Structure formats: C-alpha cells, structure tokens
C-alpha cells in the first residue's frame, strides 16, 4: 500500500472543485453521500456537535482511540465543531449555509427548520442552495417522525426476506447496504440538482429515505411481486432466477460460477467434459435450468470434483465464463487485481498515525479519485473554516473561549 499520490491537475483533481458542501449529517447514509462528493473535489465542511461530534466516532471497531467506522466514510472532509444549542452557534450555521452550494442533513423531518435553517428562508439570500435530506421513512405518512436505521430498513423493505438459506433463516446483509445505497442515491440527486442549477440558478430540495432506497434495491424481485403476485423466497447462495449461478464445490474449495446465457452454458459443459449435458431437455434453456437447479447443481459438483478450484477458475476465465473464489477480506486485499486498481491508499491522520484507507471507487480520465485528506479529528478544521467566513483571530478565540466552537485536542500539533 503505497502512500497516496499528490492530487492531480485538471478534471481528475475534482469535477466538483469549487462546490462547497455543508454536511450536517451523521452515522453513515449522509456521510457516505458527502464522501462521494468530496472524492470528486467538493469542499465538504462536516459540522459536528461540540459534545462528541458524529455519533459514529464512538462506534467500533477501533484502532487505539480512532473509530474505523467513522474513518471509513469521512475521507477528504474538514471538521468544524459547533454547539448547535447556542444562539452564536446557530448564527454560525446560518452563515455557513448562506455561503454553501449544498446542505446535506439526515435529521427527522422538521428538525432543520427548528435549527433556523429552513431551506426556503435560506434561499431568500442564497437562491442556488441545494438541500439534500435523508430520513428513515420519508417526509409523509404515519412513520415520518420515526427513527430509522439500516437493518430496520432491510427488514421492512423485503431485502432480508430474500437473503438467507430459506424462508425460516433470513439474514441481514453483511454491510449496511441500505445506508450506503441511500448515500449514493443522495449524491446522484445532488449532482443532478447542481447541473440543473447551472442553467436556472435555482437550488432544489432533494430527498430520499432508507425505506425508499431499500425498496428501490428490490429490482426484479420487487417487480416479480408487483406483476405476478409472487412472493420471492431466499435461495441461499444460488441466484434467484438464473442457473447454474452460485456456489459450487470443487476438489478443494468452493467457487462462484455464474452462467448468464446459453452460449456460456454450452462452453461450461464442454470444459467439464460433458458436452451432451448442454442439450438435455432439463437444461437446454435458461428457464429449464432454473426449474431443475438442484439436480443440476449435484451433477455439476460431481464433475467439478475432478480438479482444484484454481484449475477450474483458470479454464473458465479463459473461456470468459464469469467465476471467482470466495474471499475473506484478507484474501480480497491481497488479490493482484485489487492491487492493480490501486484501491487502498495510505495517509497520515492529523495526529501522525498512519491510516490505510479505501479510496472512492470512481476514476476520471483513467485517474482514480485521490485521498487528499484523512478523516478529520473532531474540530480539526474549526479555525480554518471560521477564517473562510472572514472571522478575525480575536473573534475566533472568543468563540473558542465561550465554548461555541471547539478545536481538536491535538490542534496545536496540527498547527505546527
């Protein structure tokens, strides 16, 4: 894991360079959205409460005093710590909002207005402000004021009902998939609103919820119910509609084989030494293979037992049949292809500690988005952000002394 390279120039330095994002969100969905914007060069000012900051700073896993949960979603951002409950703090938030292009929040509906940040009122002075909101269940309806978290959304949107061994053993995803998806949808909405603003000069309200985001992930499973009235069931590690597509045992390890069309099916049978199986009535079409998936899986594993997983993967990849091993994260990060795409960057935090960090997944003109800045300590950039508001040194000192804002505990080391 080599140190991150200096930021490139031109488009790869940031397609959103010059855009200021005021990030009032916490936990994961909102921070995931703003991390994507920061990857693309936006100046993201993460506003955190003076009493501990973003709640995810206290969530495990930890490396010494650093929350790795927080670190995973807050690269490339600046942190200012403000006491939201003081008049001076509310005034600072308003000044920041009036200079921002985008405001992102994931409070319950109505809380933003109670903080003195009503979007319509802000737009009387900052008409181009884009306001993006993420809630648990949406702005209307009986659950609008109810708190929502990722696993609750996974359960209530049907995602858990199709994930697991069978209908009696359903599972949550191994990562907060609804939170992250809501973040991606929000980032897309923000960029769309910024594009429209370029012509109109008017900012828009963009909103989603964990409920809406989770439902949107249903894809063909949801459509299956809407169109045919079928209630999908979990299929374990098998694809719900395609076959053979899932986990199969070889002589030593289990592998993923994903046959997506009849051509690949014929190639697979040839490589397995059973070309005639491709034309058997039970397997000749995709629909037939899906209907007979269990017996097909048994027959395939008998043939796959003739060679090791590594040998089969080499043959299948050469034939362009999608396949792969089942990795732990240790194996995934050691894979040569992961190294080739340079996903892991190493950067130093403000306290000098070294942090290997995943970069954002996008590239521009073939150049991956950089990790320009480590996830910030709470209040690490308070002074710099206030200077951007044209506050004098004495004014900043007065706010710090009054407890309206705070700096990072190691701020003197940062400044020197």
């Amino acid at each position: 894991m080599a140190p991150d390279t200096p930021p490139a120039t031109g488009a790869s330095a940031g397609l959103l360079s010059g855009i200021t994002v005021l990030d009032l969100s916490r936990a994961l969905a909102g921070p995931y959205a703003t991390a994507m914007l920061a990857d693309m060069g936006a100046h993201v000012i993460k506003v955190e409460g003076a009493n501990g900051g973003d709640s995810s700073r206290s969530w495990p896993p930890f490396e010494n005093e650093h929350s790795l949960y927080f670190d995973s979603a807050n690269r490339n951002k600046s942190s200012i710590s403000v006491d939201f409950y003081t008049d001076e703090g509310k005034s600072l938030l308003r000044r920041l909002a009036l200079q921002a292009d985008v405001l992102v929040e994931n409070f319950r509906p109505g809380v933003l207005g109670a903080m003195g940040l009503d979007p319509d009122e802000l737009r009387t002075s900052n008409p181009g402000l884009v306001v993006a909101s993420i809630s648990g269940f949406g702005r209307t309806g009986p659950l609008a004021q109810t708190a929502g978290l990722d696993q609750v959304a996974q359960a209530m949107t049907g995602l858990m009902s199709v994930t697991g061994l069978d209908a009696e053993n359903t599972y949550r995803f191994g990562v907060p998939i609804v939170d992250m998806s809501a973040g991606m949808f929000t980032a897309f909405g923000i960029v769309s609103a910024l594009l429209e603003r370029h012509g109109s000069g008017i900012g828009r309200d963009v909103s989603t919820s964990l409920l809406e985001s989770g439902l949107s992930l249903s894809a063909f499973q949801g459509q299956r119910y809407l169109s045919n009235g079928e209630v999908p069931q979990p299929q374990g590690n098998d694809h719900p509609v395609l076959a053979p597509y899932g986990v199969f045992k070889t002589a030593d390890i289990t592998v993923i084989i994903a046959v997506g069309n009849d051509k690949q099916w014929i190639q697979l049978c040839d490589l397995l030494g059973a070309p005639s199986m491709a034309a058997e009535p039970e397997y000749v079409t995709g629909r037939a293979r899906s209907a007979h998936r269990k017996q097909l899986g048994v027959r395939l594993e008998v043939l796959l037992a003739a060679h090791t997983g590594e040998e089969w993967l080499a043959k299948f990849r050469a034939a362009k049949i999608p396949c792969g091993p089942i990795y732990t994260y240790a194996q995934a990060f050691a894979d040569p292809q992961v190294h080739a795409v340079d996903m892991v960057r190493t950067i130093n935090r403000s306290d000098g500690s070294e942090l290997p960090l995943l970069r954002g997944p996008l590239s521009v003109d073939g150049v991956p988005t950089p990790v320009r800045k480590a996830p910030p300590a709470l209040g690490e950039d308070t002074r710099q952000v206030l200077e951007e508001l044209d506050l004098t040194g004495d004014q900043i000192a007065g706010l710090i002394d009054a407890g309206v804002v705070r700096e990072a505990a190691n701020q003197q080391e940062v400044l020197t």
Side-chain angles (χ1 to χ4, degrees), residues 6-68:
T9 58
S12 62
L15 300 182
L16 294 178
S17 178
I19 296 296
T20 297
V21 178
L22 187 63
D23 182 7
L24 302 179
S25 68
R26 66 268 193 232
L28 186 56
Y32 202 88
T34 55
M36 294 186 70
L37 301 176
D39 289 341
M40 286 304 195
H43 176 34
V44 175
I45 302 172
K46 184 176 180 67
V47 181
E48 302 184 69
N51 220 3
D54 189 324
S55 55
S56 69
R57 287 187 182 274
S58 65
W59 295 354
F62 289 98
E63 179 199 2
N64 298 319
E65 75 277 13
H66 298 287
S67 166
L68 300 179

Side-chain angles (χ1 to χ4, degrees), residues 21 27-28 31 71 93 104 110 113 122 151 181 200 256 265 313 322 362 403 416:
V21 178
L28 186 56
D71 283 352
L93 286 182
V104 180
L122 289 173
Q151 190 164 342
S181 298
S200 70
I256 302 294
W265 166 240
L313 292 177
L362 296 173
T416 57

Side-chain angles (χ1 to χ4, degrees), residues 36 51 65 112 159 177 255 265 296-297 314 320 347 383 393 408:
M36 294 186 70
N51 220 3
E65 75 277 13
L112 196 64
L159 290 175
I177 190 68
V255 298
W265 166 240
L296 175 57
K320 295 183 170 51
I347 195 165
R383 186 176 296 272

